[in-house]
Amino acid sequence: MTVDPGNLPTRVIHAYMQRGLTVATCESLTAGLVAGTLATVPGASKVLRGGLVTYATELKTALAGVDAELLKKFGAVDAEVARQMARGARRACTADVAVACTGVAGPDPQDGKPVGTVFVAVATRDGEDVREHAFEGDRASIRRQTVDACCEALLRIISCRLSSNPVEDHQ
């Protein structure tokens, strides 16, 4: 899906509003920037349920329910961690769809992963989708690209869900 990055938050809010669906976030490296960006769109309160900021690794377990053993074994920058974060945000915020991100904004590598490695996950009641990204740039740029990737994931999942099932079945 090719989208205009400058218009992503508005497209997300309007797409979910039109379908009567709600969204939640669970954020690590962006520390609330995804939810904050979505909240800038007029009407966001009809869609955005809330979010979890799990910047500290132990909060991924305490707030989002990420398996502590998984974190010990693979670290916070991992596809399954992102998946569990999304699942936890969806549950905690009672949302139809949740997006989560975890990764390395820099300046140093983390958990054996290079700067720019980011995992974005989306959870619905029907399952989860996780994608790995390799972003380039400075810390601010990587965080901004992550916000865009989260918005793109929210648009992609709603597009995929609508092509296979009626929206009314997802609430």
Side-chain angles (χ1 to χ4, degrees), residues 10-80:
T10 299
R11 290 184 62 195
V12 168
I13 295 301
H14 289 182
Y16 280 75
M17 199 179 326
Q18 287 175 339
R19 290 158 180 89
L21 298 173
T22 57
V23 173
T25 64
C26 185
E27 305 177 57
S28 186
L29 76 150
T30 51
L33 194 56
V34 175
T37 299
L38 291 173
T40 65
V41 178
S45 62
K46 294 178 179 128
V47 172
L48 183 62
R49 293 278 304 150
L52 309 174
V53 175
T54 58
Y55 202 73
T57 299
E58 67 274 9
L59 290 181
K60 289 170 182 59
T61 298
L63 299 178
V66 175
D67 182 342
E69 290 304 313
L70 177 71
L71 287 165
K72 284 181 191 171
K73 186 172 182 179
F74 296 106
V77 184
D78 178 76
E80 183 59 25

Side-chain angles (χ1 to χ4, degrees), residues 32-171:
L33 194 56
V34 175
T37 299
L38 291 173
T40 65
V41 178
S45 62
K46 294 178 179 128
V47 172
L48 183 62
R49 293 278 304 150
L52 309 174
V53 175
T54 58
Y55 202 73
T57 299
E58 67 274 9
L59 290 181
K60 289 170 182 59
T61 298
L63 299 178
V66 175
D67 182 342
E69 290 304 313
L70 177 71
L71 287 165
K72 284 181 191 171
K73 186 172 182 179
F74 296 106
V77 184
D78 178 76
E80 183 59 25
V81 169
R83 181 185 317 276
Q84 290 186 22
M85 288 169 62
R87 194 180 303 144
R90 185 175 174 275
R91 181 181 56 250
C93 297
T94 61
D96 296 306
V97 180
V99 66
C101 56
T102 184
V104 188
D108 301 313
Q110 180 183 339
D111 300 329
K113 304 285 191 325
V115 171
T117 301
V118 173
F119 292 94
V120 174
V122 179
T124 70
R125 77 169 196 187
D126 300 322
E128 297 94 19
D129 178 61
V130 182
R131 308 245 172 136
E132 181 175 2
H133 301 273
F135 296 133
E136 295 184 1
D138 63 10
R139 183 174 174 77
S141 175
I142 290 167
R143 293 177 77 225
R144 185 77 244 158
Q145 290 172 77
T146 301
V147 171
D148 289 346
C150 287
C151 288
E152 289 169 352
L154 287 168
L155 288 170
R156 184 175 52 252
I157 202 76
I158 198 169
S159 174
C160 291
R161 287 168 52 99
L162 287 177
S163 65
S164 62
N165 298 316
V167 174
E168 292 79 21
D169 290 346
H170 297 293
Q171 298 201 18

